[in-house]
Amino acid sequence: MSDQPEAAAPHTHEKREHWSGQTAFILAAIGSAVGLGNIWRFPGEAYDNGGGAFMIPYVVALLTAGIPILFLENAIGHRFRGSSPLAMRRVHRRAEGVGWFHVAICFVIGLYYTAVIAWALSYFFFSFTLAYKDDPAGFFTGEYLQLGEAGTVSLSFVPHVLIPLAAIWIITIVVLALGLHNGVERLNVIGIPLLVATFGILVVRALTLPGAADGIDALFTPDFSALTDPNVWIAAYGQIFFSLSLAYGVMLTYASYRRRRSNITSPGLVIAFGNSSFEVLAGIGVFATVGFLAHQQDVPVAELDGLAGPILSFVTFPAVIAQMPGGPLFGALFFGSLVVAGLTSLISVMQTISAALQDKFGLHPRGSAVAVGVVSAVLSIIGFGTTTGLYLLDVVDQWSNQLGIVAGAIAMIAAALWFGGRSRELQRHLSAVSTLKLGTWWLVLVNAVSVLLIYMFATKAVSLARDGYEGYPTSYLAIFGWGTAAFLLAAALVMPWLRWRRDIVHFRPWPTRQQLGLPPGRDDAPVEGSAS
Ligand code: PHE
């Protein structure tokens, strides 16, 4: 299953790194998609939004938005052969900022995603001695995070968060510096099978616990009235975007490392369905375990608290692990899986940033990796290694992930299809290189979804502006929430003004427009050089 030789594809003088083949690409893309979102976000979202009935909007969102937008991102990256800013610049000379918007979101996410992986790394070690067994809730927020007051900023560092945080950053920098092939690819080729195996064992064990069936019942019992609630639909689309790493420029960048002659659509389906299968599997495993907890406490699952977000993984799970025969092993498998799943996603985020800096400033992959890694590590340690890190994480996540990402998706669609006029070209590009051909339906779906995205963006923006978020002080939200939004915008507006340090002029997409049966377009004359 490797890429076909590049025979008929022209060699422009690109020195881009490449995946060793199709399997490597699929594993890396799955590595990006399968992450904390699958293990802790999905089960909670499904449970809160109609249980089994949530599967309907979820599957609809996967088919109408997830897969079509994955194809779009892959198409842009593959045809225009670059990091997000470079590829978007080639899509339309004024669209470079969209790429920087993606990169800025990745930068923000990288800072706090690492923190959660660091917690999981600590909990991996705590599991061997069940350090958290007496009082999992008090242990997490008190002894471990030493949580300060919400809505404040503290600079007192928590040493036992600092150490794993630094460790995760060192691993990340080393993997990135090893390059796409020896670092990123190898991590995924080893990590993903390992993850599937550990998680598989975990789920089987969970299913054999007393009460497992009640937990699964609770997750999948459909509440069909949820389907009339627009928020449930928004939650489903939001979950699909986050989970498939869509509109972060990650899937775009990863596709740019495929050879010109590479099948794009069928692997896309493997990635999308692989990710969702893992997600549903995680839901089953997590709720089977939760069912055991309810069984131990002799209460219905519905009466348990703490079934979402960090609390599910770092408080509820430890509580179960502490009561379970073979708990330490179960705990180590669970937190070990979180670390591996998180790490392969984090690497994809950092690679997206590093690729952009390589393209724009002509940096060597290693130099770029180290620069990005060190800057991020320092900021991440200052922001999230302290006693108020959890709150900062919560707020920054809302603005970057819930609001920013939707804007990033809309901007990408608008730039490529509406202003860039690339609809037919991208559709034919995908069909020309892939075994699975796309019809006009693909374009119809992408356009239709953008209407929904605009609605999602507006509702979210209005609600954050009007109601604030989770009762945090307005000034805190102004600085860290809206400040994050301002940072994303600033990156999009300022970065395109800087000069390209490498030649982006001599670029011809392949297959050419003519080969795709399209009238000649602006790519048939050299685009002008440095961005103005
Ligand atoms: N898809 C990852 C997850 O499910 C998160 C992620 C988002 C990774 C964006 C990369 C980019 O956890």
Side-chain angles (χ1 to χ4, degrees):
M1 268 230 286
S2 72
D3 292 339
Q4 301 160 32
E6 201 123 311
H11 285 284
T12 50
H13 32 266
E14 55 172 1
K15 288 198 299 287
R16 240 183 136 57
E17 296 178 284
H18 282 122
W19 303 114
S20 61
Q22 175 159 288
T23 313
F25 163 71
I26 292 179
L27 286 174
I30 290 185
S32 173
V34 171
L36 304 175
N38 299 57
I39 301 179
W40 86 13
R41 200 168 179 278
F42 173 77
E45 288 287 296
Y47 182 70
D48 281 345
N49 289 293
F54 184 71
M55 293 314 290
I56 297 173
Y58 177 82
V59 172
V60 172
L62 173 66
L63 298 177
T64 59
I67 293 174
I69 295 192
L70 178 63
F71 287 168
L72 176 67
E73 265 204 73
N74 280 345
I76 295 175
H78 188 242
R79 183 164 182 78
F80 297 101
R81 314 210 60 71
S83 60
S84 218
L86 177 55
M88 292 310 295
R89 173 78 171 58
R90 286 172 174 167
V91 162
H92 187 289
R93 52 183 296 269
R94 299 214 176 278
E96 184 186 335
V98 177
W100 290 110
F101 193 83
H102 291 159
V103 170
I105 295 189
C106 284
F107 179 69
V108 170
I109 290 181
L111 300 183
Y112 67 81
Y113 206 76
T114 325
V116 184
I117 305 173
W119 303 343
L121 184 59
S122 298
Y123 269 67
F124 171 75
F125 289 109
F126 293 156
S127 293
F128 291 102
T129 56
L130 296 182
Y132 40 64
K133 72 170 177 298
D134 295 333
D135 171 16
F139 184 87
F140 180 56
T141 51
E143 224 169 300
Y144 182 63
L145 289 182
Q146 303 186 358
L147 211 51
E149 198 185 327
T152 62
V153 179
S154 121
L155 273 185
S156 47
F157 290 97
V158 187
H160 31 269
V161 176
L162 220 55
I163 295 167
L165 193 53
I168 297 292
W169 276 114
I170 291 170
I171 298 173
T172 306
I173 293 173
V174 169
V175 172
L176 287 177
L178 284 173
L180 187 78
H181 183 69
N182 292 328
V184 179
E185 181 174 317
R186 194 168 294 170
L187 175 82
N188 283 291
V189 168
I190 300 172
I192 294 307
L194 182 74
L195 176 66
V196 171
T198 25
F199 212 78
I201 299 174
L202 196 99
V203 172
V204 171
R205 172 68 186 117
L207 287 175
T208 55
L209 290 167
D214 299 335
I216 296 173
D217 261 1
L219 175 61
F220 287 116
T221 303
D223 165 13
F224 288 107
S225 66
L227 297 183
T228 55
D229 178 355
N231 289 320
V232 168
W233 289 84
I234 292 185
Y237 278 85
Q239 174 64 26
I240 287 290
F241 269 84
F242 183 71
S243 183
L244 262 179
S245 316
L246 288 184
Y248 296 79
V250 169
M251 292 299 179
L252 188 160
T253 306
Y254 269 16
S256 77
Y257 295 125
R258 300 214 55 200
R259 293 181 189 281
R260 292 213 186 219
R261 210 174 245 287
S262 295
N263 193 354
I264 301 290
T265 51
S266 318
L269 294 183
V270 175
I271 295 160
F273 286 113
N275 176 60
S276 285
S277 311
F278 192 94
E279 198 146 81
V280 174
L281 185 75
I284 293 175
V286 166
F287 269 80
T289 315
V290 163
F292 169 73
L293 183 67
H295 176 85
Q296 290 302 89
Q297 301 184 349
D298 211 9
V299 294
V301 176
E303 276 169 32
L304 292 175
D305 292 328
L307 297 186
I311 300 300
L312 174 63
S313 296
F314 292 99
V315 175
T316 311
F317 248 74
V320 187
I321 291 164
Q323 296 180 20
M324 171 192 299
L329 179 61
F330 192 86
L333 287 177
F334 178 73
F335 289 109
S337 302
L338 269 184
V339 172
V340 176
L343 208 53
T344 53
S345 297
L346 175 67
I347 290 290
S348 72
V349 167
M350 301 310 294
Q351 178 68 29
T352 300
I353 309 172
S354 170
L357 299 183
Q358 288 168 39
D359 284 346
K360 180 98 185 178
F361 300 112
L363 298 179
H364 185 271
R366 185 169 318 140
S368 177
V370 173
V372 174
V374 170
V375 171
S376 301
V378 170
L379 289 174
S380 145
I381 286 172
I382 296 177
F384 302 101
T386 65
T387 55
T388 46
L390 180 65
Y391 305 119
L392 185 59
L393 189 157
D394 191 20
V395 169
V396 171
D397 177 68
Q398 271 299 310
W399 267 262
S400 59
N401 247 328
Q402 309 284 321
L403 195 62
I405 202 59
V406 187
I410 300 168
M412 179 174 69
I413 296 174
L417 305 188
W418 304 342
F419 298 106
R422 303 283 185 178
S423 305
R424 281 286 161 223
E425 183 179 341
L426 290 171
Q427 180 211 340
R428 292 195 186 171
H429 176 91
L430 286 175
S431 297
V433 296
S434 304
T435 44
L436 173 78
K437 317 284 179 209
L438 300 183
T440 304
W441 57 267
W442 172 60
L443 292 169
V444 172
L445 275 180
V446 175
N447 282 295
V449 160
S450 59
V451 177
L452 180 82
L453 290 173
I454 292 171
Y455 170 75
M456 276 171 72
F457 179 81
T459 358
K460 189 76 201 175
V462 168
S463 121
L464 288 175
R466 200 183 45 200
D467 313 328
Y469 176 64
E470 298 273 314
Y472 286 99
T474 317
S475 55
Y476 188 81
L477 295 182
I479 298 172
F480 296 108
W482 295 107
T484 300
F487 166 73
L488 302 179
L489 259 179
L493 294 176
V494 172
M495 294 303 287
W497 288 92
L498 304 182
R499 241 168 53 85
W500 285 90
R501 296 293 159 75
R502 43 166 281 196
D503 171 24
I504 60 166
V505 180
H506 296 99
F507 173 78
R508 290 279 188 290
W510 180 88
T512 60
R513 288 178 61 92
Q514 195 185 11
Q515 285 166 328
L516 295 179
L518 293 164
R522 52 189 168 282
D523 298 323
D524 299 303
V527 287
E528 95 295 356
S530 60
S532 53

